[in-house]
Amino acid sequence: MNALGRLEQLLLSGEITEEEYRERKAVYVETILELYIKGIISKEQMQEKLNQ
């Protein structure tokens, strides 16, 4: 399962709050962008991860 899907499941099951969901999602997106900026992943890989 992808990371954003897992976060959504945690939110829907009540294991995390909406605020925690937003914070964790923001960190995930920032991390993926940082990997792209550093050349660790390609633009296509970045887009794939962000669109999952």
Side-chain angles (χ1 to χ4, degrees), residues 29-43 46:
V29 171
E30 288 176 26
T31 302
I32 296 299
L33 291 174
E34 188 69 27
L35 291 173
Y36 170 67
I37 289 168
K38 290 182 176 184
I40 297 171
I41 62 173
S42 68
K43 182 178 179 180
M46 175 191 68

Side-chain angles (χ1 to χ4, degrees), residues 16-28:
I16 62 174
T17 64
E18 253 185 82
E19 184 176 327
E20 289 173 311
Y21 173 80
R22 284 192 298 272
E23 289 174 11
R24 292 177 188 196
K25 183 177 177 181
V27 169
Y28 176 78

